[in-house]
Amino acid sequence: MKQKIKNMIYNASKDAYDKGDLPSPDFPEIEVEEPKAESHGDFSTNISMVMAAVQKMPPRKIAEAIIKNIDDPDGIIDRTEIAGPGFINFCLNRYSWHPVLREIHERDTLYGASDIGKGKKVQVEFVSANPTGPLHVGHGRGAAVGDSIANILLFCGYNVEKEYYINDSGRQISTLGRSVFMRYKELFGTDIQFPDDCYQGDYIRDLAIEIKKKKEDKLLFLSEEEAISYCARFAADNILSEIKEDLECFGIVFDRWYSEQGLYDSGKVDRVINDFRKQNIIFEDDGALWFRTKDFGDEKNRVVVRNNGLTTYFASDIAYHQDKFDRGFERIIDIWGADHHGYIPRVSAAIEALGYGRDKFDVILIQLVNLLREGEPVAMSTRAGEFVTLRDVINEVGSDAARFIFLTRHYESALDFDLELAKKKTNDNPVYYVQYVHARISSIARKAQERGTSDIAWNAAAVSRLTEPEEIQLIKIMSRYPEIVRCSAEYMEPHRITYFLMNLASAFHAYYNKHRVLTDEAELTLGRLYLVLAVKKIIRNGLALLGVSAPEKM
RNA sequence: GCGCCUGUAGCUCAGCUGGAUAGAGCAACGGACUUCUAAUCCGUAGGUCGCAGGUUCGAAUCCUGCCAGGCGUACCA
């Protein structure tokens, strides 16, 4: 619709110039927007103000010239007006909105889909939590955002893969092994001083018990190194499968689980380090190997191999991102916790050194989640290993509520997650507010079917009966959906869809309370049914992009 | 110290990347169920958009400088 208006304005400007109403053929990018105030019509453009300098005419005069030359063969425009400093407002005929419904029904699950991605191969990497402990709420937010962004990009024509990077190598894994082994020894009566820098949670004890069941006392006869290594592998494998289960409960399926250890085993880390040494991008100093990140805009150089011979995470991250490009991804999106933001210049530097443009790499930083109950913070201490896990949250409030709430904020804003509020089935809790629309319409559809009106094909006469302001309002809102999805993809902001759905839901509930869908008049009923079933489709589509279900009954 | 994020109604947050009189929900107050699901709706009230400058026809939005909070600033992850 907006595009139609744009074209009209463009053609009108051109005609105005041809006829001499406008002195210059130099037209700016035309912007058409939907005004906030209803009195300003359905669409408005600021073109006359933008043009004023070039045309050397007052904006209102330009507006007159354009309006005079508007060609509207289908008569979709009801009236135009010049307002304020020179806005041109367009007010559309009610019936010009009706065809939107047909489009929604015909495109169905693909309404709002586009090909702006042009099949570009893009990878979204998210969660990627170390397999050293259970997922917590913060990971949940990253999971919800990452999964939704991937869904949206897919819907917009990108060729998307979702990936989880497993940090299954390095120091924190050996710390994990050490932690478990100490608890294991404890089970055999050894008196231990459990160090602060080890993992504290009860799950460490549980893993030790598991090992004891399986291996009895055999580990006590191995060398400490062997025993720790066994515990590390056992623990990491177990925790990782727990993580996989948690994410499955959360409705998230990764295309690939990528092992960091695999990068070492295949020699990719060594290879890239050697290549960079040859290019003098990596150099030796003080017994350590340094990456010249400073040459690529970072504030200082960074160590890749420490003087004790151990690699840092940065080393494998270089190889990892190289591998991403080697696998043919044209665009890489990493989703990290905001506390890692200092890491961005480093990885960007690596990507540039690898010969790829920075514009191919995006990092989305997810701000932290404050877990509350009845408005009071829930005590959490990672150090002491006491925290509410993602699984606890899903079990308590459900996957739908959790995912929706994670997507009710821009990811750059910290999020308060109130467990009690997430369970409430009232207006406080937007999940049910939106889902309820779907359930209500489903119920209407069932009733309609009982009455024998299940025909929902396009019926011009029936649809032309939709003349109530609330009906036109609903269609207008729905007509914006494709653009909302596009913007969501472009800026990678799923919350735009969340807000759109809440807005649509609100308009629907208002309509529902004011008008009956199933009336005594067959034609009107058909038209209204056609309308609400379109609403149902959009709610379903939008929720799907968020990873939230659309129930038939509630 | 430096870098990033945040600051909008009593509370929690949107604000279409510069548009017209800044919007929702909650909380407060007053109303609506013999009617398709009241997990709903309607109405009232609520503002120095952190502060100060600047850019222009026009700023919550862009620039600069402050103030406050969070995070980061390792041969940790």
Side-chain angles (χ1 to χ4, degrees), chain A residues 440-544:
Chain A
R440 269 186 154 171
I441 298 173
S442 302
S443 172
I444 294 172
R446 282 191 297 271
K447 283 275 177 355
Q449 201 143 29
E450 285 167 22
R451 287 173 161 215
T453 42
S454 54
D455 176 23
I456 56 149
W458 167 257
N459 178 330
V463 172
S464 72
R465 298 291 303 276
L466 299 173
T467 55
E468 297 289 349
E470 291 83 4
E471 292 169 337
I472 303 303
Q473 183 59 26
L474 271 174
I475 304 175
K476 282 182 193 173
I477 291 172
M478 290 193 284
S479 75
R480 288 202 284 264
Y481 181 68
E483 196 183 345
I484 298 282
V485 173
R486 268 199 306 278
C487 288
S488 235
E490 188 179 346
Y491 300 113
M492 295 180 283
E493 294 175 349
H495 77 284
R496 288 168 187 263
I497 291 174
T498 315
Y499 277 90
F500 171 85
L501 291 174
M502 294 193 283
N503 186 25
L504 176 59
S506 164
F508 172 78
H509 285 311
Y511 175 62
Y512 180 92
N513 270 275
K514 194 163 174 188
H515 304 286
R516 285 190 61 85
V517 174
L518 306 176
T519 66
D520 297 335
E521 288 183 68
E523 201 172 61
L524 181 63
T525 300
L526 271 183
R528 290 187 170 173
L529 209 47
Y530 198 72
L531 170 71
V532 299
L533 288 172
V535 174
K536 184 182 167 187
K537 283 182 180 174
I538 294 188
I539 295 279
R540 177 203 58 197
N541 291 0
L543 286 175

Side-chain angles (χ1 to χ4, degrees), chain A residues 319-338:
Chain A
Y320 181 40
H321 285 84
Q322 180 180 46
D323 185 71
K324 292 185 184 198
F325 285 111
D326 287 348
R327 280 187 273 156
F329 291 110
E330 297 162 82
R331 193 169 165 206
I332 286 171
I333 299 166
D334 286 10
I335 293 175
W336 299 346

Side-chain angles (χ1 to χ4, degrees), chain A residues 96-114:
Chain A
S96 59
W97 292 102
H98 291 154
V100 173
L101 294 179
R102 185 177 193 168
E103 197 189 335
I104 295 167
H105 280 287
E106 286 176 358
R107 295 268 286 157
D108 202 350
T109 53
L110 291 178
Y111 181 68
S114 65

Side-chain angles (χ1 to χ4, degrees), chain A residues 408-449:
Chain A
T408 51
R409 297 275 176 279
H410 189 112
Y411 50 74
E412 273 177 7
S413 302
L415 168 74
D416 289 338
F417 190 111
D418 194 304
L419 288 162
E420 292 306 321
L421 192 134
K423 283 189 290 188
K424 276 194 192 157
K425 293 177 174 174
T426 64
N427 231 340
D428 308 15
N429 187 350
V431 197
Y432 299 116
Y433 186 75
V434 173
Q435 285 185 322
Y436 192 43
V437 171
H438 194 267
R440 269 186 154 171
I441 298 173
S442 302
S443 172
I444 294 172
R446 282 191 297 271
K447 283 275 177 355
Q449 201 143 29

Side-chain angles (χ1 to χ4, degrees), chain A residues 100 204 207 219 229 234 265 319 322 346 363 400 403 427 460 489 495 502 507 516:
Chain A
V100 173
I204 298 292
L207 286 163
L219 264 57
S229 157
F234 180 89
D265 296 344
Q322 180 180 46
R346 216 172 300 186
V363 179
D400 281 345
R403 288 191 73 156
N427 231 340
H495 77 284
M502 294 193 283
R516 285 190 61 85

